[in-house]
Each structure stands twice: as C-alpha cells, then as structure tokens.
Amino acid sequence: MIEEFYDLSRPLLDADAKAMELCKERFAELEEIKEYNQLKMLRAFTDNYVGGNHLVGTTGYGMDDPGREKLAEVFAQVTGSEAALFRSSFMSGTHTLTVALFGVLRPGDRMVAVTGRPYDTLQGVIGIDGTHYGSLMDFGVRYDEVELLSDGTPDLAGIAEKCRGAKMCYIQRSRGYAARPALSLDQIEAISKAAKAVQPDIIVMVDNCYGEFVQKKEPTQCGADLMAGSLIKNPGGGIAPTGGYIAGRADLVELCAHRLTAPGVGGEIGCTLDTLRDLYLGLYYAPGVVCEALKTSVYASALFEVLGYTATPKYTEDRNDIITSVETGSPEGMEALCGGVQQGSPVDSFAAPIPSDMPGYEDPVIMAAGAFTMGSSIELSADGPVRAPYTVYMQGGINFNAARAGVLLGADRMMKLK
Ligand SMILES: *Cc1c(COP(=O)(O)O)cnc(C)c1O
C-alpha cells in the first residue's frame, strides 16, 4: 500500500515485506503486553475515582490541586509504587533525575553508577565531566562507577564490592547513546539484591527513561526504591506537552518533593495550569502508544537486518526500552537516515536535519524530529552524537503505520548513498 503514497524502489519494498513477515510473532507478544498494561491503567483510573473535576488545573501556588494529587496516585498504582510525583513542572528527564538525586543525596554520601557511565546530560549533574555548575560532586557527594561486563550484563560481584557503605546504587535501564543492551527487569532485581546484600539500607534508583510500559512491570516492582523519567517519552503517551515523574518509596518521594519546590514546602504546591487533561489523557494512552513505538523499533531492526546493516537489539530480542540503533558507517549515512525519518514526520517534514552542538552533549548531535511536541522522543525520532561508528538511535513512533513509512524513507536514502 505504501507505494501508493511514496516512490520506493522494488528491492526496498521486497525488504519491507520480508521484515513485516519476520515481525509477526513479536507483534503478537507486544499486543499482549499492551492489553495487560491498558487494563492495569483502566483499573488505576477507576480504583482512584478519577473524575471530570480532576482534569481542570489551578494557577498561582496551586495549593490543594486535586487533579495533580489524583494523577500522582494513579501513576503510583499503575507502577506499583508507594507514592509519586507526576507533573508538568519538571522541565525534562534530566531535570527530573536531578531533582531525585539532589532530593535524596547529602554531602559525604556516595553514589555508585552500576551500569557504567551515565547518560551524557547526567555527567554534568554528577560532575564527572569536570564542570562545576553546582553538581553533586561540588556539594561533596562522592561518585563511583561499575562498568558493565564485556557482554553488556551487570557486574554483580563488582557491584557488591562498591556498594558496601554507599548511599545510592544508580541504574540506567535504557541504553541511551551507548552500545549496550537495555537492562531487563530481572537484571534490575539481581542488581538490587546484590547491592542490598552488602548494604541493606542502600537506595536503589533507576533512570527509567524509555522503559515505562515496555514490560508488564516497572522497576519499583523489581527491587528499585526510586525511579524517574520524562513525560515527553513513554508515560506522556505523545500527548503530555512537558513534564516528568518520580515514583517509589513514599519517604524518598517526599524528600524529592521538597527539592522540587523548596525545603519545608514540599509537594503541596505547584500549579498545573492547563496541563492536567493532557497529562491524564497521555498517561491513559501510554500503553498503546508505547506498543506502537515498540512495533516501530522491532520493525526497524528487522528491516535494517534484511538490508544488511547492523541494528541492535535484534528483532528477535526482548525489548527493555524503545530504542533501536543502526550503524550507518559514515556521517553521510547518519544524515541520510535522519533525513528520511524527518521526511516521514507529520510536522516539519520539509526540514533537513544537520549536526549541531547541544547543551550537555560532547559531540555535535544530529536529530530528526518532526514532532507535535518539541523534542519529543516517544514520537518517531532519529538522532545520535556524530562519532564513529556513526550510529543512529531511533526511538518512538506514536503510530506504527506512519512510523514505518519514516523508517522506509530513511532506508531509501541510505540505499541511494551506496
Ligand atoms: C532521555 C534520557 C534522559 C533525560 O534526557 P532529557 O533529554 O533531559 O529528557 C536521561 N537518561 C536516559 C537514559 C534518557 O534516555
């Protein structure tokens, strides 16, 4: 059908047909996860008596904002957490993770990143990039790191060694811009057990960006005490205009609330303006939207494998985030793939992505994003820092039929480079 709308070569159309055939079984599994998570979501809404009054926001201090409080309760239930903050006043994933880290860590505490070097923007937050803008290290928080093993799995022995005496065990679930697999929930549970065996009061915190609703459980149901993520990724369902969440143990979430607003004030304030309806709707849609993104991700892996490129994870592998990376082999390859994805986007389809410097990132970054929400990466997006082996990270796709077209347009441009 796509040939009625886009002029694609016969070999590419054949590869597309083959990829779709390869994906059939995986798609059925993804549909099953979606159904489970959607029903879990419906029950979280109805069990908490979400009403029409909750969809209307407040201004000013936002004291006693019933919609804000209710939404956090719904999110806590759906993720099996004791408590949550789920708000538009978080500015990004990085900001949300920053609030969580500064919320619970104190001078003299030691945090151990147990999945290797954290995501680019977190390096400035911690201070490991040598900057001093009030990083955790500037405030006397000590930092330690445990590399993943060469096969990409957690080094449980190393983790046990370094977590003794530490305050926080920090896990990044998704791969981010790294050539490593995303962590499974079983692996998160194993890390938590290893850390708590040597330090029972250690706080296990998970950067859950891109991981929400990908499986039937969340990290807080698998040994994590605290987790955080962005609402312009999975849990915003492509509808939340901005925001983030922190969820987990009630005492820790409370500390984070005092860091988000002001010490002593806590979560009682924070007006919601006109954001509540979008946040509720986006969260409600999230299981379905994440399924579309996962289908796009699995399909892209299959298509690029058929075309002879290295794509990870493989289409046959279980997903723990919504990212598929493709090694394009050259800066031109990155521009071709990103350009095609941009062309297949509903907004700004006519733009041409080119690499440029981004705050918080070391190398120039190229980004294809034709999204309804600026910078949204639950919508189809393709990006990466321009460095060898010129890997493009693709994520999102709020609608598989359209995202498949975007992936094909990218592949078409790459084939023309050869
Ligand atoms: C997206 C992301 C973040 C936060 O990034 P923002 O662009 O600030 O939202 C942090 N960690 C991981 C793994 C991510 O994917």
Side-chain angles (χ1 to χ4, degrees):
M1 191 185 295
I2 188 155
E3 59 272 27
E4 287 185 40
F5 298 90
Y6 291 100
D7 183 22
L8 300 170
S9 70
R10 192 70 253 166
L12 184 56
L13 289 170
D14 290 344
D16 167 64
K18 183 149 185 224
M20 287 299 283
E21 188 59 35
L22 292 173
C23 289
K24 258 192 190 153
E25 221 172 286
R26 295 302 323 284
F27 281 10
E29 289 166 27
L30 297 175
E31 290 282 346
E32 204 250 334
I33 294 173
K34 163 181 146 182
E35 182 179 358
Y36 180 90
N37 285 335
Q38 191 63 57
L39 293 172
K40 184 169 70 162
M41 186 68 73
L42 177 59
R43 280 303 298 264
F45 272 65
T46 59
D47 289 355
N48 285 286
Y49 301 100
V50 172
N53 58 314
H54 295 125
L55 309 183
V56 183
T58 54
T59 55
Y61 293 118
M63 296 261 250
D64 306 317
D65 185 317
R68 183 191 67 215
E69 299 304 315
K70 183 65 73 185
L71 181 56
E73 284 162 24
V74 170
F75 189 69
Q77 174 168 332
V78 86
T79 58
S81 309
E82 283 176 19
L85 299 164
F86 190 96
R87 306 186 173 204
S88 56
S89 44
F90 289 111
M91 286 174 258
S92 67
T94 305
H95 178 231
T96 311
L97 288 156
T98 300
V99 169
L101 290 167
F102 278 88
V104 302
L105 292 169
R106 296 292 176 267
D109 286 346
R110 187 161 57 88
M111 79 175 274
V112 187
V114 297
T115 45
R117 190 56 47 117
Y119 189 78
D120 293 52
T121 57
L122 266 297
Q123 299 179 17
V125 176
I126 300 166
I128 35 180
D129 63 350
T131 59
H132 300 281
Y133 298 112
S135 65
L136 287 166
M137 283 159 88
D138 283 345
F139 281 92
V141 172
R142 291 170 298 146
Y143 174 78
D144 229 332
E145 201 170 278
V146 183
E147 285 300 315
L148 292 167
L149 297 173
S150 55
D151 63 355
T153 61
D155 174 5
L156 294 177
I159 290 169
E161 197 182 304
K162 292 236 167 114
C163 283
R164 194 183 299 278
K167 176 76 169 283
M168 177 185 283
C169 166
Y170 181 88
I171 298 170
Q172 182 182 308
R173 182 179 181 187
S174 167
R175 53 190 303 191
Y177 289 136
R180 54 159 267 211
L183 253 60
S184 70
L185 292 169
D186 285 346
Q187 286 174 317
I188 289 173
E189 190 136 46
I191 292 174
S192 172
K193 282 208 177 105
K196 290 185 179 186
V198 295
Q199 191 65 37
D201 62 352
I202 198 166
I203 297 164
V204 175
M205 171 170 162
V206 175
D207 170 354
N208 200 31
C209 282
Y210 290 134
E212 303 87 357
F213 308 120
V214 159
Q215 297 286 342
K216 292 179 184 172
K217 284 187 183 175
E218 297 299 328
T220 39
Q221 296 168 295
C222 303
D225 300 296
L226 199 62
M227 62 178 184
S230 163
L231 299 195
I232 62 168
K233 295 180 180 173
N234 304 13
I239 294 172
T242 187
Y245 75 85
I246 297 174
R249 248 169 57 192
D251 60 325
L252 300 177
V253 171
E254 174 76 13
L255 286 174
C256 296
H258 287 268
R259 183 54 172 68
L260 169 63
T261 63
V265 175
E268 302 296 308
I269 66 162
C271 73
T272 45
L273 303 174
D274 288 330
T275 62
L276 279 173
R277 184 178 171 278
D278 288 347
L279 263 58
Y280 275 102
L281 189 58
L283 178 61
Y284 186 67
Y285 267 48
V289 167
V290 169
C291 180
E292 297 289 296
L294 285 168
K295 283 182 175 174
T296 306
S297 179
V298 169
Y299 166 77
S301 296
L303 180 75
F304 283 107
E305 185 172 311
V306 169
L307 293 174
Y309 291 93
T310 301
T312 45
K314 285 183 166 299
Y315 69 90
T316 47
E317 284 176 73
D318 202 25
R319 297 282 152 152
N320 291 293
D321 65 14
I322 60 168
I323 303 176
T324 288
S325 67
V326 182
E327 281 177 31
T328 67
S330 67
E332 294 74 32
M334 291 184 84
E335 264 185 64
L337 178 48
C338 292
V341 166
Q342 186 76 38
Q343 186 193 344
S345 298
V347 180
D348 294 332
S349 58
F350 44 82
I354 49 165
S356 69
D357 291 324
M358 286 260 301
Y361 296 85
E362 257 182 40
D363 300 288
V365 176
I366 183 165
M367 289 198 159
F372 291 98
T373 298
M374 295 175 194
S376 163
S377 48
I378 184 61
E379 299 180 59
L380 181 64
S381 46
D383 46 60
V386 182
R387 61 188 178 216
Y390 304 103
T391 304
V392 169
Y393 297 83
M394 282 199 282
Q395 55 271 315
I398 52 176
N399 179 289
F400 173 65
N401 299 120
R404 176 180 165 200
V407 173
L408 281 167
L409 289 168
D412 185 51
R413 290 191 188 200
M414 286 165 76
M415 287 170 81
K416 284 182 179 145
L417 276 183
K418 281 193 175 172

